[in-house]
Amino acid sequence: MALFDDITKKAAKFTEDAIDKTQEFAGNAKIKLKIKNIESDRDDVYKELGQYYFKLIEDENSIDEEIAEMRSRISDYDAKIEELKKQLEAE
């Protein structure tokens, strides 16, 4: 009976370790997905900024507050991406 108890305990420990690893991988995947989504949002702003500059250059080559706001949004996305990457490194 002791042998059966020992095998049962080892199987339970193995299962617990496997569940912990699965949760860790799921957490990392979730963070990586967030990073990709934020990078995509940032890239949309880059595209918008490029289109704006293209039109601006065609029209009269002037700069206004809209450009500053787009740059601020890009900086915010970059900060969020770096924060999430640090979370991945900490795990």
Side-chain angles (χ1 to χ4, degrees):
M1 198 63 152
L3 178 62
F4 180 73
D5 289 341
D6 188 41
I7 292 172
T8 303
K9 286 179 185 177
K10 286 181 182 180
K13 177 66 175 151
F14 177 78
T15 302
E16 183 180 326
D17 290 344
I19 289 170
D20 289 345
K21 276 294 183 194
T22 301
Q23 289 174 341
E24 179 183 332
F25 288 134
N28 286 346
K30 186 176 180 181
I31 291 172
K32 288 178 183 180
L33 180 59
K34 283 183 182 180
I35 290 170
K36 289 295 180 192
N37 286 336
I38 293 170
E39 286 174 340
S40 177
D41 290 342
R42 180 195 57 194
D43 292 346
D44 289 345
V45 178
Y46 275 127
K47 181 181 175 185
E48 186 180 338
L49 180 63
Q51 290 170 338
Y52 181 87
Y53 264 117
F54 183 78
K55 184 175 180 344
L56 194 65
I57 290 168
E58 283 186 334
D59 291 346
E60 59 185 81
N61 199 18
S62 63
I63 298 175
D64 64 17
E65 290 181 31
E66 190 173 353
I67 294 170
E69 191 273 332
M70 284 184 226
R71 179 63 194 121
S72 175
R73 287 171 40 204
I74 289 170
S75 294
D76 290 344
Y77 289 134
D78 286 339
K80 288 177 184 178
I81 290 166
E82 285 306 312
E83 182 181 317
L84 290 169
K85 285 181 178 180
K86 286 179 185 178
Q87 285 180 15
L88 280 177
E89 292 174 3
E91 293 184 11

Coordinates of all heavy atoms in Angstrom, one line a residue:
M1 N 0.8 -1.2 0.0 CA 0.0 0.0 0.0 C 0.9 1.3 0.0 O 0.5 2.3 -0.6 CB -0.9 0.0 1.2 CG -2.1 0.9 1.1 SD -3.1 0.4 -0.2 CE -4.6 1.0 0.3
A2 N 2.0 1.2 0.7 CA 2.9 2.4 0.7 C 3.4 2.7 -0.7 O 3.6 3.9 -1.0 CB 4.1 2.1 1.7
L3 N 3.7 1.7 -1.5 CA 4.2 1.9 -2.8 C 3.1 2.6 -3.6 O 3.4 3.6 -4.4 CB 4.5 0.6 -3.5 CG 5.0 0.6 -5.0 CD1 6.3 1.5 -5.0 CD2 5.2 -0.7 -5.5
F4 N 1.8 2.2 -3.5 CA 0.7 2.9 -4.2 C 0.6 4.3 -3.8 O 0.4 5.2 -4.6 CB -0.6 2.1 -4.0 CG -1.7 2.7 -4.7 CD1 -1.9 2.6 -6.0 CD2 -2.7 3.5 -4.0 CE1 -3.0 3.2 -6.7 CE2 -3.8 4.0 -4.6 CZ -3.9 3.9 -6.0
D5 N 0.7 4.6 -2.5 CA 0.6 6.0 -2.0 C 1.8 6.8 -2.5 O 1.6 8.0 -2.9 CB 0.7 6.0 -0.4 CG -0.6 5.5 0.2 OD1 -1.6 5.4 -0.5 OD2 -0.6 5.1 1.4
D6 N 3.0 6.3 -2.6 CA 4.1 7.0 -3.1 C 3.9 7.3 -4.6 O 4.2 8.4 -5.0 CB 5.4 6.1 -2.9 CG 6.7 6.9 -3.3 OD1 6.7 8.1 -2.9 OD2 7.5 6.3 -3.9
I7 N 3.4 6.3 -5.4 CA 3.2 6.6 -6.8 C 2.1 7.6 -7.0 O 2.2 8.5 -7.8 CB 2.8 5.3 -7.5 CG1 4.0 4.3 -7.5 CG2 2.3 5.5 -8.9 CD1 3.7 2.9 -8.0
T8 N 1.1 7.6 -6.2 CA 0.0 8.6 -6.2 C 0.5 10.0 -5.9 O 0.1 10.9 -6.6 CB -1.1 8.2 -5.3 OG1 -1.6 6.9 -5.6 CG2 -2.3 9.1 -5.4
K9 N 1.3 10.1 -4.9 CA 1.9 11.4 -4.5 C 2.8 11.9 -5.7 O 2.7 13.1 -6.0 CB 2.7 11.3 -3.2 CG 1.8 11.1 -2.0 CD 2.7 11.0 -0.8 CE 1.8 10.7 0.5 NZ 2.6 10.5 1.7
K10 N 3.6 11.1 -6.3 CA 4.4 11.5 -7.4 C 3.6 11.9 -8.6 O 3.9 12.9 -9.2 CB 5.4 10.4 -7.7 CG 6.5 10.2 -6.7 CD 7.5 9.1 -7.1 CE 8.6 9.0 -6.1 NZ 9.5 7.9 -6.4
A11 N 2.6 11.2 -8.9 CA 1.7 11.6 -10.0 C 1.0 12.9 -9.7 O 0.9 13.7 -10.6 CB 0.7 10.5 -10.2
A12 N 0.6 13.1 -8.5 CA -0.1 14.4 -8.1 C 0.9 15.5 -8.3 O 0.5 16.6 -8.8 CB -0.7 14.3 -6.7
K13 N 2.1 15.3 -7.8 CA 3.1 16.4 -7.9 C 3.4 16.7 -9.4 O 3.6 17.9 -9.8 CB 4.4 15.9 -7.2 CG 5.6 16.9 -7.2 CD 5.3 18.2 -6.5 CE 6.5 19.1 -6.5 NZ 6.2 20.5 -6.5
F14 N 3.6 15.7 -10.2 CA 3.8 15.8 -11.6 C 2.7 16.6 -12.3 O 2.9 17.5 -13.0 CB 4.0 14.5 -12.3 CG 4.2 14.6 -13.8 CD1 5.4 14.9 -14.3 CD2 3.2 14.3 -14.7 CE1 5.6 15.0 -15.7 CE2 3.3 14.4 -16.0 CZ 4.6 14.8 -16.5
T15 N 1.5 16.3 -11.9 CA 0.3 17.0 -12.5 C 0.3 18.4 -12.1 O 0.0 19.3 -12.9 CB -1.0 16.3 -12.1 OG1 -0.9 14.9 -12.5 CG2 -2.2 16.9 -12.6
E16 N 0.6 18.7 -10.8 CA 0.6 20.0 -10.3 C 1.7 20.9 -11.0 O 1.4 22.0 -11.4 CB 0.9 20.0 -8.8 CG 0.9 21.4 -8.1 CD 1.2 21.3 -6.6 OE1 0.8 20.3 -6.0 OE2 1.9 22.2 -6.1
D17 N 2.9 20.3 -11.2 CA 3.9 21.0 -11.9 C 3.5 21.3 -13.4 O 3.8 22.3 -13.9 CB 5.2 20.1 -11.9 CG 5.9 20.1 -10.5 OD1 5.5 20.9 -9.7 OD2 6.7 19.2 -10.3
A18 N 2.9 20.3 -14.0 CA 2.4 20.5 -15.4 C 1.4 21.6 -15.5 O 1.4 22.4 -16.4 CB 1.8 19.2 -15.9
I19 N 0.5 21.7 -14.5 CA -0.5 22.7 -14.5 C 0.1 24.1 -14.3 O -0.2 25.1 -15.0 CB -1.6 22.5 -13.4 CG1 -2.4 21.3 -13.8 CG2 -2.4 23.7 -13.1 CD1 -3.4 20.8 -12.7
D20 N 1.1 24.2 -13.4 CA 1.8 25.4 -13.2 C 2.5 25.9 -14.4 O 2.5 27.1 -14.8 CB 2.9 25.3 -12.0 CG 2.2 25.1 -10.6 OD1 1.0 25.4 -10.5 OD2 2.9 24.7 -9.7
K21 N 3.2 25.0 -15.1 CA 3.9 25.4 -16.4 C 2.9 25.8 -17.4 O 3.1 26.8 -18.2 CB 4.7 24.2 -16.9 CG 6.0 24.1 -16.3 CD 6.9 25.2 -16.7 CE 8.3 25.1 -16.2 NZ 9.0 26.3 -16.2
T22 N 1.8 25.1 -17.5 CA 0.7 25.5 -18.5 C 0.2 26.9 -18.2 O 0.0 27.7 -19.1 CB -0.4 24.5 -18.5 OG1 0.1 23.2 -18.8 CG2 -1.5 24.9 -19.5
Q23 N 0.0 27.2 -16.9 CA -0.5 28.6 -16.6 C 0.6 29.6 -16.9 O 0.2 30.7 -17.3 CB -0.9 28.6 -15.1 CG -2.2 27.8 -14.8 CD -2.5 27.7 -13.3 OE1 -1.6 27.9 -12.5 NE2 -3.7 27.4 -13.0
E24 N 1.8 29.3 -16.6 CA 2.9 30.2 -16.9 C 3.0 30.5 -18.4 O 3.1 31.7 -18.9 CB 4.2 29.6 -16.5 CG 5.4 30.5 -16.8 CD 6.8 29.8 -16.4 OE1 6.7 29.0 -15.4 OE2 7.8 30.1 -17.0
F25 N 2.9 29.4 -19.3 CA 2.9 29.6 -20.7 C 1.7 30.4 -21.2 O 1.8 31.3 -22.1 CB 2.9 28.3 -21.5 CG 4.3 27.6 -21.4 CD1 4.3 26.3 -21.1 CD2 5.4 28.3 -21.5 CE1 5.5 25.6 -21.0 CE2 6.7 27.6 -21.5 CZ 6.7 26.3 -21.1
A26 N 0.5 30.2 -20.6 CA -0.7 30.9 -20.9 C -0.5 32.4 -20.6 O -0.9 33.3 -21.3 CB -1.9 30.3 -20.3
G27 N 0.1 32.7 -19.4 CA 0.3 34.1 -19.0 C 1.2 34.8 -19.9 O 1.0 35.9 -20.3
N28 N 2.3 34.1 -20.3 CA 3.3 34.7 -21.3 C 2.6 34.9 -22.6 O 2.8 35.9 -23.3 CB 4.5 33.7 -21.5 CG 5.4 33.8 -20.3 OD1 5.3 34.7 -19.4 ND2 6.3 32.8 -20.2
A29 N 1.8 34.0 -23.1 CA 1.1 34.1 -24.4 C 0.2 35.3 -24.3 O 0.1 36.1 -25.3 CB 0.4 32.9 -24.7
K30 N -0.5 35.5 -23.2 CA -1.4 36.6 -23.1 C -0.7 37.9 -23.1 O -1.1 38.9 -23.8 CB -2.2 36.5 -21.7 CG -3.3 37.5 -21.5 CD -4.0 37.2 -20.2 CE -5.1 38.3 -20.0 NZ -5.8 38.0 -18.7
I31 N 0.5 38.0 -22.5 CA 1.3 39.3 -22.5 C 1.8 39.5 -23.9 O 1.8 40.6 -24.4 CB 2.4 39.2 -21.5 CG1 1.8 39.2 -20.0 CG2 3.4 40.3 -21.7 CD1 2.9 39.0 -19.0
K32 N 2.3 38.4 -24.6 CA 2.8 38.6 -25.9 C 1.7 39.1 -26.9 O 1.9 39.9 -27.7 CB 3.4 37.3 -26.4 CG 4.7 37.0 -25.8 CD 5.2 35.6 -26.2 CE 6.5 35.3 -25.5 NZ 7.1 34.0 -25.9
L33 N 0.5 38.6 -26.7 CA -0.7 39.0 -27.5 C -1.0 40.5 -27.2 O -1.2 41.3 -28.2 CB -1.9 38.2 -27.2 CG -3.2 38.5 -28.0 CD1 -2.9 38.4 -29.5 CD2 -4.3 37.7 -27.6
K34 N -0.9 40.9 -26.0 CA -1.1 42.3 -25.7 C -0.1 43.2 -26.3 O -0.4 44.3 -26.9 CB -1.0 42.6 -24.1 CG -2.3 42.2 -23.4 CD -2.1 42.5 -21.9 CE -3.3 42.0 -21.1 NZ -3.2 42.4 -19.7
I35 N 1.2 42.7 -26.3 CA 2.3 43.5 -27.0 C 2.0 43.6 -28.5 O 2.1 44.7 -29.0 CB 3.6 42.8 -26.8 CG1 4.1 42.9 -25.3 CG2 4.7 43.4 -27.7 CD1 5.3 42.1 -24.9
K36 N 1.6 42.5 -29.1 CA 1.3 42.6 -30.5 C 0.1 43.5 -30.8 O 0.2 44.3 -31.8 CB 1.0 41.2 -31.1 CG 2.1 40.3 -31.2 CD 3.2 40.8 -32.2 CE 4.3 39.9 -32.2 NZ 5.5 40.5 -33.0
N37 N -0.9 43.5 -30.0 CA -2.0 44.4 -30.2 C -1.6 45.9 -30.0 O -2.0 46.7 -30.8 CB -3.2 44.1 -29.2 CG -3.9 42.8 -29.6 OD1 -3.9 42.4 -30.8 ND2 -4.5 42.2 -28.6
I38 N -0.8 46.2 -29.0 CA -0.3 47.6 -28.8 C 0.6 48.0 -30.0 O 0.5 49.1 -30.5 CB 0.4 47.7 -27.5 CG1 -0.7 47.5 -26.4 CG2 1.0 49.1 -27.3 CD1 -0.1 47.4 -25.0
E39 N 1.5 47.1 -30.4 CA 2.3 47.4 -31.6 C 1.5 47.7 -32.8 O 1.8 48.6 -33.6 CB 3.3 46.2 -31.8 CG 4.4 46.1 -30.8 CD 5.3 44.9 -31.0 OE1 4.9 43.9 -31.7 OE2 6.4 44.9 -30.5
S40 N 0.4 46.9 -33.0 CA -0.5 47.2 -34.1 C -1.1 48.5 -34.0 O -1.2 49.3 -35.0 CB -1.5 46.1 -34.2 OG -2.4 46.3 -35.3
D41 N -1.6 48.9 -32.8 CA -2.2 50.2 -32.6 C -1.2 51.3 -32.9 O -1.5 52.3 -33.5 CB -2.7 50.4 -31.2 CG -3.9 49.5 -30.9 OD1 -4.6 49.0 -31.8 OD2 -4.2 49.3 -29.7
R42 N 0.1 51.1 -32.4 CA 1.1 52.1 -32.6 C 1.4 52.2 -34.1 O 1.6 53.3 -34.7 CB 2.4 51.7 -31.9 CG 3.6 52.6 -32.1 CD 4.9 52.1 -31.7 NE 5.1 50.8 -32.4 CZ 6.1 50.0 -32.1 NH1 6.8 50.2 -31.1 NH2 6.3 48.9 -32.8
D43 N 1.5 51.1 -34.8 CA 1.7 51.1 -36.3 C 0.6 51.8 -37.0 O 0.9 52.5 -38.0 CB 1.9 49.7 -36.8 CG 3.2 49.0 -36.3 OD1 4.0 49.8 -35.7 OD2 3.3 47.8 -36.4
D44 N -0.6 51.7 -36.5 CA -1.7 52.5 -37.2 C -1.5 54.0 -37.0 O -1.7 54.8 -38.0 CB -3.1 52.1 -36.5 CG -3.5 50.7 -36.9 OD1 -3.0 50.1 -37.8 OD2 -4.4 50.2 -36.1
V45 N -0.9 54.4 -35.9 CA -0.6 55.8 -35.7 C 0.5 56.3 -36.6 O 0.5 57.3 -37.2 CB -0.3 56.2 -34.2 CG1 0.0 57.6 -34.1 CG2 -1.5 55.8 -33.3
Y46 N 1.5 55.4 -36.7 CA 2.6 55.7 -37.7 C 2.1 55.9 -39.1 O 2.4 56.8 -39.8 CB 3.6 54.6 -37.7 CG 4.7 54.7 -36.6 CD1 5.0 53.6 -35.8 CD2 5.5 55.8 -36.5 CE1 5.9 53.7 -34.8 CE2 6.5 55.9 -35.5 CZ 6.7 54.8 -34.7 OH 7.7 54.9 -33.7
K47 N 1.2 55.0 -39.5 CA 0.6 55.1 -40.8 C -0.2 56.4 -41.0 O -0.1 57.1 -42.0 CB -0.4 53.9 -41.1 CG -1.0 53.9 -42.4 CD -2.0 52.7 -42.6 CE -2.7 52.8 -43.9 NZ -3.7 51.7 -44.0
E48 N -1.0 56.7 -39.9 CA -1.8 58.0 -39.9 C -0.9 59.2 -40.0 O -1.1 60.1 -40.8 CB -2.6 58.0 -38.7 CG -3.6 59.2 -38.6 CD -4.4 59.1 -37.3 OE1 -4.5 58.0 -36.6 OE2 -4.9 60.2 -36.9
L49 N 0.2 59.1 -39.3 CA 1.2 60.2 -39.3 C 1.9 60.4 -40.6 O 2.0 61.5 -41.2 CB 2.3 59.9 -38.2 CG 3.4 61.0 -38.1 CD1 2.8 62.3 -37.6 CD2 4.4 60.5 -37.0
G50 N 2.2 59.2 -41.3 CA 2.8 59.3 -42.6 C 1.8 59.9 -43.6 O 2.2 60.7 -44.5
Q51 N 0.6 59.5 -43.6 CA -0.4 60.0 -44.5 C -0.6 61.5 -44.3 O -0.7 62.3 -45.2 CB -1.8 59.3 -44.3 CG -1.7 57.9 -44.8 CD -3.0 57.1 -44.4 OE1 -3.7 57.4 -43.5 NE2 -3.2 56.0 -45.2
Y52 N -0.6 61.9 -43.0 CA -0.7 63.3 -42.7 C 0.4 64.1 -43.2 O 0.2 65.2 -43.9 CB -0.8 63.5 -41.2 CG -1.0 64.9 -40.7 CD1 -2.3 65.5 -40.7 CD2 0.1 65.7 -40.4 CE1 -2.5 66.8 -40.3 CE2 -0.1 67.1 -40.1 CZ -1.4 67.6 -40.0 OH -1.5 68.9 -39.6
Y53 N 1.7 63.6 -43.0 CA 2.8 64.4 -43.5 C 2.8 64.4 -45.0 O 3.2 65.4 -45.6 CB 4.1 63.7 -43.0 CG 4.7 64.4 -41.8 CD1 4.8 63.7 -40.6 CD2 5.1 65.7 -41.8 CE1 5.3 64.3 -39.5 CE2 5.6 66.3 -40.7 CZ 5.7 65.6 -39.5 OH 6.2 66.2 -38.4
F54 N 2.4 63.3 -45.6 CA 2.4 63.3 -47.1 C 1.5 64.4 -47.6 O 1.8 65.2 -48.5 CB 1.9 61.9 -47.6 CG 1.9 61.8 -49.1 CD1 3.1 61.6 -49.8 CD2 0.7 61.9 -49.8 CE1 3.1 61.5 -51.1 CE2 0.7 61.8 -51.2 CZ 1.9 61.6 -51.9
K55 N 0.3 64.5 -47.0 CA -0.7 65.5 -47.4 C -0.1 66.9 -47.1 O -0.2 67.8 -47.9 CB -2.0 65.3 -46.7 CG -3.1 66.3 -47.2 CD -4.4 66.0 -46.5 CE -5.5 66.9 -46.9 NZ -5.3 68.1 -47.5
L56 N 0.5 67.0 -46.0 CA 1.1 68.3 -45.5 C 2.1 68.8 -46.5 O 2.2 70.0 -46.9 CB 1.6 68.2 -44.1 CG 2.0 69.4 -43.4 CD1 0.7 70.2 -43.1 CD2 2.7 69.1 -42.1
I57 N 3.0 67.9 -46.9 CA 4.1 68.2 -47.8 C 3.5 68.6 -49.2 O 4.0 69.6 -49.8 CB 5.1 67.0 -48.0 CG1 5.9 66.9 -46.7 CG2 6.0 67.2 -49.1 CD1 6.6 65.6 -46.6
E58 N 2.5 67.9 -49.6 CA 1.8 68.3 -50.9 C 1.2 69.6 -50.8 O 1.2 70.4 -51.8 CB 0.8 67.2 -51.2 CG 1.3 66.0 -51.8 CD 0.2 65.0 -52.3 OE1 -0.9 65.1 -51.8 OE2 0.5 64.2 -53.2
D59 N 0.6 70.0 -49.7 CA -0.2 71.2 -49.5 C 0.7 72.4 -49.3 O 0.7 73.3 -50.2 CB -1.2 71.1 -48.4 CG -2.3 70.2 -48.7 OD1 -2.5 69.8 -49.9 OD2 -3.1 69.8 -47.8
E60 N 1.5 72.4 -48.2 CA 2.3 73.7 -47.9 C 3.4 73.5 -47.0 O 4.0 74.5 -46.6 CB 1.4 74.8 -47.5 CG 0.6 74.4 -46.2 CD -0.4 75.5 -45.8 OE1 -1.5 75.5 -46.3 OE2 0.0 76.3 -44.9
N61 N 3.7 72.3 -46.5 CA 4.8 72.0 -45.6 C 4.7 72.8 -44.3 O 5.6 73.5 -43.9 CB 6.1 72.3 -46.3 CG 7.3 71.6 -45.6 OD1 7.0 70.7 -44.8 ND2 8.5 72.0 -45.8
S62 N 3.6 72.7 -43.6 CA 3.5 73.3 -42.2 C 3.2 72.3 -41.2 O 2.9 71.1 -41.5 CB 2.3 74.3 -42.3 OG 1.1 73.6 -42.5
I63 N 3.5 72.6 -39.9 CA 3.4 71.7 -38.8 C 2.3 72.3 -37.8 O 2.3 73.5 -37.5 CB 4.7 71.5 -38.1 CG1 5.7 70.8 -39.1 CG2 4.6 70.6 -36.8 CD1 7.1 70.7 -38.5
D64 N 1.5 71.4 -37.1 CA 0.5 71.9 -36.2 C 0.4 70.9 -35.0 O 1.2 70.0 -34.9 CB -0.8 72.1 -36.9 CG -1.4 70.8 -37.4 OD1 -1.0 69.7 -37.0 OD2 -2.3 70.9 -38.2
E65 N -0.6 71.1 -34.2 CA -0.8 70.4 -32.9 C -1.2 68.9 -33.2 O -0.9 68.0 -32.4 CB -1.9 71.0 -32.1 CG -1.5 72.3 -31.5 CD -2.6 72.9 -30.6 OE1 -3.4 72.2 -30.0 OE2 -2.7 74.2 -30.6
E66 N -1.8 68.6 -34.3 CA -2.2 67.3 -34.6 C -1.0 66.3 -34.7 O -1.0 65.2 -34.2 CB -3.0 67.2 -35.9 CG -3.6 65.8 -36.2 CD -4.5 65.8 -37.4 OE1 -4.8 66.9 -38.0 OE2 -5.0 64.7 -37.8
I67 N 0.1 66.8 -35.2 CA 1.4 66.1 -35.3 C 1.9 65.8 -33.9 O 2.3 64.6 -33.6 CB 2.4 66.8 -36.2 CG1 2.0 66.9 -37.6 CG2 3.8 66.1 -36.1 CD1 2.8 67.8 -38.5
A68 N 1.9 66.8 -33.0 CA 2.4 66.6 -31.7 C 1.5 65.5 -30.9 O 2.1 64.7 -30.2 CB 2.4 67.9 -30.9
E69 N 0.2 65.5 -31.2 CA -0.7 64.6 -30.5 C -0.4 63.2 -31.0 O -0.4 62.2 -30.2 CB -2.1 65.0 -30.8 CG -3.2 64.2 -30.0 CD -3.6 62.9 -30.6 OE1 -3.5 62.8 -31.8 OE2 -3.9 61.9 -29.9
M70 N -0.1 63.0 -32.3 CA 0.2 61.7 -32.8 C 1.5 61.1 -32.2 O 1.6 60.0 -31.9 CB 0.3 61.7 -34.4 CG -1.1 61.8 -35.1 SD -0.8 61.7 -36.8 CE -1.9 63.0 -37.4
R71 N 2.5 62.0 -32.1 CA 3.8 61.6 -31.6 C 3.6 61.2 -30.1 O 4.2 60.2 -29.7 CB 4.8 62.8 -31.7 CG 6.1 62.5 -31.1 CD 6.8 61.3 -31.9 NE 7.9 60.8 -31.1 CZ 8.1 59.6 -30.7 NH1 7.2 58.7 -31.0 NH2 9.1 59.2 -30.0
S72 N 2.8 61.9 -29.4 CA 2.5 61.5 -28.0 C 1.8 60.1 -27.9 O 2.2 59.3 -27.0 CB 1.6 62.6 -27.4 OG 1.2 62.2 -26.1
R73 N 0.9 59.8 -28.8 CA 0.3 58.5 -28.8 C 1.3 57.4 -29.1 O 1.3 56.4 -28.4 CB -0.9 58.5 -29.8 CG -2.1 59.3 -29.3 CD -3.2 59.5 -30.3 NE -3.5 58.4 -31.2 CZ -4.0 58.5 -32.4 NH1 -4.3 59.7 -32.9 NH2 -4.3 57.5 -33.1
I74 N 2.2 57.7 -30.0 CA 3.2 56.7 -30.3 C 4.1 56.4 -29.1 O 4.4 55.3 -28.7 CB 4.1 57.1 -31.5 CG1 3.3 57.1 -32.8 CG2 5.4 56.3 -31.6 CD1 3.9 57.7 -34.0
S75 N 4.5 57.5 -28.4 CA 5.3 57.4 -27.2 C 4.6 56.6 -26.1 O 5.2 55.7 -25.4 CB 5.7 58.7 -26.6 OG 6.5 59.4 -27.5
D76 N 3.3 56.8 -26.0 CA 2.5 56.0 -25.0 C 2.5 54.5 -25.3 O 2.6 53.7 -24.5 CB 1.0 56.5 -24.9 CG 0.9 57.9 -24.3 OD1 1.9 58.3 -23.6 OD2 -0.2 58.5 -24.5
Y77 N 2.3 54.2 -26.6 CA 2.3 52.8 -27.0 C 3.7 52.2 -26.8 O 3.8 51.0 -26.3 CB 2.0 52.6 -28.5 CG 0.5 52.9 -28.9 CD1 0.2 53.7 -29.9 CD2 -0.5 52.4 -28.1 CE1 -1.2 53.9 -30.2 CE2 -1.9 52.6 -28.4 CZ -2.2 53.4 -29.5 OH -3.5 53.6 -29.8
D78 N 4.8 52.9 -27.1 CA 6.1 52.4 -26.8 C 6.3 52.1 -25.3 O 6.9 51.1 -25.0 CB 7.2 53.4 -27.3 CG 7.3 53.4 -28.8 OD1 6.9 52.4 -29.5 OD2 7.8 54.4 -29.3
A79 N 5.8 53.0 -24.4 CA 5.9 52.8 -23.0 C 5.2 51.5 -22.6 O 5.7 50.7 -21.7 CB 5.5 54.0 -22.2
K80 N 4.0 51.3 -23.1 CA 3.2 50.1 -22.7 C 3.9 48.8 -23.2 O 3.9 47.9 -22.5 CB 1.8 50.2 -23.4 CG 0.9 51.3 -22.7 CD -0.4 51.3 -23.4 CE -1.3 52.4 -22.9 NZ -2.6 52.6 -23.6
I81 N 4.4 48.9 -24.4 CA 5.1 47.7 -24.9 C 6.3 47.4 -24.0 O 6.5 46.2 -23.7 CB 5.6 47.9 -26.4 CG1 4.4 48.0 -27.3 CG2 6.6 46.9 -26.8 CD1 4.6 48.5 -28.7
E82 N 7.1 48.4 -23.6 CA 8.3 48.1 -22.8 C 7.9 47.6 -21.4 O 8.5 46.7 -20.9 CB 9.1 49.4 -22.6 CG 9.9 49.8 -23.8 CD 10.8 48.7 -24.3 OE1 11.5 48.1 -23.5 OE2 10.8 48.4 -25.5
E83 N 6.8 48.1 -20.9 CA 6.3 47.6 -19.6 C 5.9 46.1 -19.7 O 6.3 45.3 -18.8 CB 5.1 48.4 -19.1 CG 4.5 48.1 -17.8 CD 3.3 48.9 -17.4 OE1 3.4 50.1 -17.7 OE2 2.3 48.3 -16.9
L84 N 5.2 45.7 -20.7 CA 4.8 44.3 -20.9 C 6.0 43.4 -21.1 O 6.1 42.3 -20.6 CB 3.8 44.2 -22.0 CG 2.4 44.8 -21.7 CD1 1.6 44.9 -23.0 CD2 1.7 44.0 -20.6
K85 N 7.0 43.9 -21.9 CA 8.2 43.1 -22.1 C 9.0 42.9 -20.8 O 9.5 41.8 -20.6 CB 9.1 43.8 -23.1 CG 8.6 43.7 -24.5 CD 9.6 44.4 -25.5 CE 9.1 44.2 -27.0 NZ 10.0 44.9 -27.9
K86 N 9.0 43.9 -19.9 CA 9.6 43.7 -18.6 C 8.9 42.7 -17.8 O 9.5 41.9 -17.0 CB 9.7 45.1 -17.9 CG 10.7 46.0 -18.4 CD 10.7 47.3 -17.7 CE 11.6 48.3 -18.3 NZ 11.6 49.6 -17.6
Q87 N 7.6 42.6 -17.9 CA 6.8 41.6 -17.2 C 7.2 40.2 -17.7 O 7.3 39.3 -16.9 CB 5.3 41.8 -17.4 CG 4.7 42.9 -16.6 CD 3.2 43.1 -16.9 OE1 2.6 42.2 -17.4 NE2 2.7 44.2 -16.5
L88 N 7.4 40.1 -19.0 CA 7.8 38.8 -19.5 C 9.2 38.4 -19.0 O 9.4 37.2 -18.7 CB 7.9 38.8 -21.0 CG 6.6 38.7 -21.8 CD1 6.8 38.8 -23.3 CD2 5.9 37.3 -21.5
E89 N 10.1 39.3 -18.9 CA 11.5 39.0 -18.5 C 11.5 38.7 -17.0 O 12.3 37.9 -16.5 CB 12.4 40.3 -18.7 CG 12.6 40.5 -20.1 CD 13.4 41.8 -20.4 OE1 13.8 42.5 -19.4 OE2 13.6 42.2 -21.5
A90 N 10.6 39.2 -16.2 CA 10.5 39.0 -14.8 C 10.0 37.6 -14.5 O 10.3 37.1 -13.4 CB 9.6 40.0 -14.1
E91 N 9.3 37.0 -15.4 CA 8.7 35.6 -15.1 C 9.7 34.6 -15.4 O 10.6 34.6 -16.0 CB 7.4 35.5 -15.9 CG 6.3 36.4 -15.5 CD 5.0 36.1 -16.2 OE1 4.9 35.1 -16.9 OE2 4.1 36.9 -16.0

